[in-house]
Amino acid sequence: MDRWTADRIADQSGRTFIVTGASSGLGFETSRQLAAHGGRVVMASRSQASGHDAVARIRAAQPAAAVEFRPLDLADLDSVRAFAAAILADGIPVDVLVNNAGVMFPPRRLTPQGFESQFATNHLGHFALTGLLFGAIRRGQDPRVVTVSSAEHKGGSIHFDDLTGERSYSPRPFYQQSKFANVLFGLELDRRSRAARAGVRSILAHPGYSATNLQSSGPTGLGKQLMKVGNRLIAQSAEMGALGQLYAATDPAAESGKFYGPAGFMELRGYPVEVQPVATAKSEQTARRLWDISEQLTGVTWDLQPASPPESQPAPPGHETT
C-alpha cells in the first residue's frame, strides 16, 4: 500500500458516511478527513455537548463541510434503535457505516439492558446498529461496513458462559473479548453478505496504539496513569491511527473480509497495511454462535436474503466471489 495517507482519498462527493464515536479521537479524525474530501458525514456520539463542539471544529476549518451531529449511546439499545429509526425516517442514505466508538478497561458496570458495558458498547451496540441500517446500506453507493477492532483482540475469547462478568470480571480480558467479537462479527458479516449477494463490503481495521481519550476515559487508578505515560512515549497520533479505517472506508482496493492496521512493530504504529486476525477469530462456528446470541440479546434479526438472482447482480469490486 506504499505508505498510504489521507491525501490519497478520492473525491467522496455524493457519498454519506455514519461515524460512531465521532466527537473525539479516531472518530473525529475520520469524520474530518471524510468531510474534507467531499463526503457527507453524520457524526454520532453519546455527548451532545462534545458532538456539537466537534461539528463546530470541523466547520471552523472547513466552512462548506457537510457534517451534522446526532446523539447515539451504543451502550443503550433504546438509543441505538432511536438513532437508526431517525436516520431511516429522515431518508438519509447510508453508503458507509464506520463502527468506531468504543470504551476500554472500565470497572465492571451494566448497561440499561443488563449487559457488561464493554461488550455492549463495542460489540452489541454496533451489531444492532448495523443490522437496523443494513437495508439502507446495501442500497448505497459502493456500500461498506467498517468495524474498528484492536490488536488486543489477539488475547481475546468469548466468555459464552459469563458474558456479563458476573462470575469473574477483569477490565482487560473483557475489553479483549469485545474486540475479539468485533473481528468475529466483521468476518461473519463478510461471509453472510457474500452468500446473500448483498454487495456490501465488510472490512476490519485497527489503529494500533494511538493517543486518544479512550485510554483516559475508561481505566482507573494506576492503569489510567500508565496509559497517560504510554500515550506520551509510545502512541502515534490519532491522525495516523485513523488511516486504517479511512483506507477501509474509501479506497477502491480495500477488500471485503480483510483487516487493515499499522505496518510497524507489533502493529503499534505506522501506515496501514493488511494484517491478520488471530487464528481463533477465523472460526466460523464461533462466529455463528456469537451472531445467534447477539440477535437474541439485541432483538435485532438481520434480513440477509439475496436481493436478486445471481446472474443479474455481479459482485462489486473488492467483493469477488470465489
Side-chain angles (χ1 to χ4, degrees):
M1 290 163 58
D2 189 29
R3 295 171 68 91
W4 191 93
T5 69
D7 292 338
R8 294 169 64 172
I9 298 174
D11 182 15
Q12 299 297 307
S13 297
R15 303 187 78 205
T16 300
F17 301 80
I18 295 176
V19 181
T20 69
S23 63
S24 65
L26 302 171
F28 178 80
E29 293 301 329
T30 298
S31 300
R32 183 175 69 84
Q33 289 291 351
L34 293 173
H37 289 84
R40 177 186 181 185
V41 186
V42 178
M43 300 175 66
S45 71
R46 181 176 52 188
S47 168
Q48 295 261 1
S50 297
H52 288 300
D53 178 68
V55 167
R57 283 187 287 148
I58 290 178
R59 286 182 177 160
Q62 307 170 32
V67 291
E68 65 174 289
F69 164 74
R70 294 201 173 208
L72 170 64
D73 182 355
L74 285 157
D76 185 346
L77 292 174
D78 291 340
S79 175
V80 174
R81 289 183 179 278
F83 176 90
I87 291 291
L88 298 176
D90 292 344
I92 296 176
V94 185
D95 299 299
V96 181
L97 172 61
V98 182
N99 289 325
N100 163 81
V103 294
M104 184 174 73
F105 298 0
R108 181 176 182 264
R109 62 174 64 101
L110 301 182
T111 68
Q113 287 78 33
F115 307 127
E116 187 274 320
S117 63
Q118 294 185 96
F119 187 70
T121 304
N122 300 351
H123 169 62
L124 289 177
H126 282 129
F127 178 91
L129 178 65
T130 310
L132 292 167
L133 293 177
F134 197 74
I137 294 169
R138 71 189 296 178
R139 294 191 296 270
Q141 177 185 344
D142 186 12
R144 307 183 187 198
V145 174
V146 179
T147 301
V148 181
S149 183
S150 165
E152 283 282 290
H153 88 277
K154 295 178 182 180
S157 61
I158 306 299
H159 312 142
F160 285 110
D161 60 344
D162 188 24
L163 287 174
T164 67
E166 182 178 2
R167 299 180 191 171
S168 177
Y169 177 82
S170 182
R172 186 178 182 188
F174 272 74
Y175 177 72
Q176 292 173 324
Q177 170 181 250
S178 71
K179 295 287 102 180
F180 186 74
N182 289 155
V183 179
L184 289 169
F185 166 64
L187 296 179
E188 181 66 7
L189 178 56
D190 168 64
R191 288 187 286 264
R192 294 187 183 219
S193 181
R194 290 175 188 270
R197 300 185 298 277
V200 177
R201 304 191 209 193
S202 174
I203 308 173
L204 288 156
H206 83 78
Y209 189 172
S210 298
T212 71
N213 66 3
L214 188 67
Q215 291 91 341
S216 59
S217 60
T220 59
L222 178 60
K224 185 171 186 175
Q225 299 308 313
L226 291 174
M227 288 288 183
K228 288 182 179 179
V229 174
N231 274 7
R232 290 196 299 269
L233 300 181
I234 302 172
Q236 64 181 355
S237 67
E239 293 91 335
M240 282 293 295
L243 291 180
Q245 57 207 66
L246 282 165
Y247 176 83
T250 64
D251 200 281
E255 295 184 55
S256 187
K258 299 296 186 180
F259 197 178
Y260 299 98
F265 176 68
M266 294 182 65
E267 300 174 18
L268 292 173
R269 301 165 60 95
Y271 295 93
V273 296
E274 183 183 344
V275 297
Q276 294 301 315
V278 68
T280 50
K282 299 178 183 179
S283 168
E284 295 185 26
Q285 180 180 5
T286 305
R288 288 193 297 269
R289 185 179 179 189
L290 176 65
W291 188 286
D292 290 343
I293 288 175
S294 299
E295 285 193 335
Q296 294 169 19
L297 295 178
T298 63
V300 175
T301 302
W302 290 55
D303 179 9
L304 275 169
Q305 298 302 312
S308 58
E311 63 271 16
S312 66
Q313 186 169 329
H319 205 150
E320 289 78 15
T321 57
T322 57

